[in-house]
């Protein structure tokens, strides 16, 4: 939200544009990154250690949800979610006038489609909030990580590992 130079992801969502830092860090750790360009039903999860859901904006079909649950619960696939934010009030306030289209444009979703992610992750006991946006710094493994703007976790499995931090609510 504080990125006033490119508030609407003008460079697009791709590992080589606005996620280049994440891509480079993953590669430096020796991991290979493959971009799934099809539905979840089109990949063999036994060939992968983790599925990264980064800046997810699309909806998921019932078949994709069922397959992901099976892949995680029975196949051991790990899922890493970069949820960003979703707040209907902020989305409505984010409309802008497009001179090329001669009309006001309101974003369809926030930084991510949190309602769709919640549908996808519900059966795994995970959900994110949709009424506030948080930011701040976290200390993880003796490194300071900046959390620029994102959602918050409203439910998580009791047997899961969850690290929590007090962050600043940007919507108050």
């Amino acid at each position: 939200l504080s990125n006033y130079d490119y508030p609407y992801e003008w460079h697009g969502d791709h590992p080589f544009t606005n996620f280049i830092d994440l891509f480079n860090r993953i590669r430096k750790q020796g991991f290979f990154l493959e971009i799934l360009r099809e539905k979840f039903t089109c990949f063999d999860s036994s060939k992968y250690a983790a599925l990264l859901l980064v800046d997810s904006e699309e909806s998921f079909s019932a078949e994709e949800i069922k397959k992901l649950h099976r892949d995680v619960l029975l196949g051991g696939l790990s899922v890493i979610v970069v949820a960003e934010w979703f707040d209907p009030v902020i989305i409505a306030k984010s409309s802008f006038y497009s001179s090329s289209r001669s009309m006001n444009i309101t974003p369809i979703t926030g930084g991510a489609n949190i309602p769709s992610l919640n549908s996808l992750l519900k059966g795994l006991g995970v959900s994110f909030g949709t009424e506030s946006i948080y930011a701040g710094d976290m200390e993880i493994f003796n490194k300071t990580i900046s959390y620029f703007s994102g959602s918050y976790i409203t439910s998580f499995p009791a047997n899961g590992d969850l690290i929590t931090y007090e962050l600043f609510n940007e919507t108050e």
Side-chain angles (χ1 to χ4, degrees):
L1 289 179
S2 62
N3 185 356
Y4 298 110
D5 294 332
Y6 301 104
Y8 298 107
E9 301 171 348
W10 302 121
H11 295 305
D13 295 330
H14 198 277
F16 307 120
T17 58
N18 58 331
F19 291 105
I20 190 69
D21 290 340
L22 176 63
F23 175 80
N24 286 336
R25 287 178 187 263
I26 290 170
R27 293 292 296 138
K28 283 181 184 173
Q29 296 295 316
F31 294 100
F32 178 77
L33 208 73
E34 185 173 349
I35 298 168
L36 179 61
R37 298 185 190 281
E38 301 295 328
K39 301 209 174 277
F40 291 166
T41 55
C42 295
F43 83 103
D44 180 356
S45 67
S46 69
K47 308 270 190 241
Y48 300 90
L51 174 67
L52 280 70
L53 297 173
V54 181
D55 196 25
S56 181
E57 295 173 359
E58 299 295 325
S59 295
F60 302 99
S61 69
E63 293 81 20
E64 288 179 291
I65 292 170
K66 187 176 178 180
K67 181 184 185 299
L68 181 69
H69 292 180
R70 191 173 52 248
D71 290 346
V72 170
L73 298 172
L74 301 176
L77 180 69
S78 293
V79 177
I80 299 169
V81 180
V82 179
E84 295 198 56
W85 62 273
F86 183 95
D87 185 317
V89 173
I90 300 297
I91 292 170
K93 289 180 180 178
S94 298
S95 66
F96 62 96
Y97 182 78
S98 170
S99 57
S100 64
R101 293 186 180 175
S102 300
M103 62 188 277
N104 280 332
I105 296 176
T106 300
I108 296 170
T109 188
N113 189 340
I114 298 296
S116 182
L117 280 170
N118 283 344
S119 295
L120 178 69
L121 300 171
K122 180 180 180 181
L124 301 174
V126 177
S127 65
F128 296 97
T130 59
E131 297 176 5
S132 296
I133 302 168
Y134 288 86
D137 290 333
M138 304 175 272
E139 181 88 14
I140 301 177
F141 302 116
N142 297 321
K143 290 192 178 221
T144 300
I145 309 284
S146 294
Y147 189 75
F148 293 111
S149 63
S151 186
Y152 53 99
I153 296 173
T154 57
S155 66
F156 200 77
N159 63 344
D161 295 320
L162 180 64
I163 300 169
T164 61
Y165 289 89
E166 291 290 324
L167 299 173
F168 173 73
N169 184 340
E170 292 188 289
T171 53
E172 288 183 344

